[in-house]
Amino acid sequence: KAGVTQTPRYLIKTRGQQVTLSCSPISGHRSVSWYQQTPGQGLQFLFEYFSETQRNKGNFPGRFSGRQFSNSRSEMNVSTLELGDSALYLCASSLALQGYEQYFGPGTRLTVT
Amino acid sequence: GENVEQHPSTLSVQEGDSAVIKCTYSDSASNYFPWYKQELGKRPQLIIDIRSNVGEKKDQRIAVTLNKTAKHFSLHITETQPEDSAVYFCAFSSSGSARQLTFGSGTQLTVLP
C-alpha cells in the first residue's frame, strides 16, 4: 500500500499571503489529522477530519482551517501568513473512527518570508 | 492544558547498551500511548504503542511500559544499534479523541559505535 503523501513538499510564501497544503491518506484510511512541527513548540495538533467533518481542533487561530473530501483527501489552508507560521506541516492518517494508529506523511516545509 | 514531560532531552549510549526514555502525562483519561521515531529530515514513524488496559508491550528490541496510577510511561530499547540514532517522541491521546495526540518535546538518542 502506498503511504501518506503530501504536496507540495516545499513552499516559500510572503507574509500576508495564503497557502493551501494537500494530504492524501493511506488507501482505506478515513481519518486525517494535521500537526505543525517547529523547533520551538515541537509537534502540535491542528485538527482532525473524518467523513468530511472536523472532529477535533487544536489551539490555533482561525487563520488555520481545513477540509476533507469524499475520497478522504484533506487540505489545510493558512490565511494571512505570519513569519511564525514557518514550520513543517505533517498530516497523519488513521484507519477508522476508533482506529488509534496514525501514520505520518513526509510533511510540507513552509517558509514564510 | 494537557501536556507531557519527556526526559531526557538528549541521550548518548554505546552500541549494544540499553536506552530508556520516560514520559509523564497529565490527562488521566488518556488511553493510548504511542512512540514515534523521527530521523533527520524524515517523517515521524510509529514504532510501538500501548493502550491503557495493558501494562507492558514488547516488539523485538523495543518495549513500552505504562503505569496509569503514576501517569507515566517509558520506552526501552535494548541492544542499541547506530541506526537507532534519531529523535524519539512520546505522545498520548487527548480525552475524547484517540487521534488528537499531545507530543512530548523529544529525546535525541545517539548510539555511539
Side-chain angles (χ1 to χ4, degrees), chain B residues 11 13 50 57 65 97 112:
Chain B
L11 179 60
V13 299
I50 192 168
K57 184 178 177 181
T65 58
S97 170
L112 305 168

Side-chain angles (χ1 to χ4, degrees), chain A residues 43-88:
Chain A
L43 274 155
Q44 292 186 290
F45 173 81
L46 280 155
F47 30 63
E48 180 215 350
Y49 286 87
F50 177 82
S51 290
E52 303 176 61
T53 302
Q54 187 180 92
R55 301 286 172 162
N56 295 285
K57 192 176 193 307
N59 190 24
F60 279 82
R63 300 184 297 106
F64 291 81
S65 63
R67 59 177 175 168
Q68 186 180 36
F69 302 94
S70 58
N71 62 358
S72 296
R73 189 177 71 85
S74 177
E75 289 181 347
M76 67 163 282
N77 183 278
V78 188
S79 62
T80 320
L81 285 166
E82 301 177 359
L83 294 178
D85 297 334
S86 295
L88 181 66

Side-chain angles (χ1 to χ4, degrees), chain A residues 4-18:
Chain A
V4 180
T5 59
Q6 292 185 245
T7 57
R9 294 291 312 279
Y10 302 91
L11 208 47
I12 300 175
K13 290 286 188 178
T14 304
R15 268 180 302 176
Q17 289 186 314
Q18 73 163 18

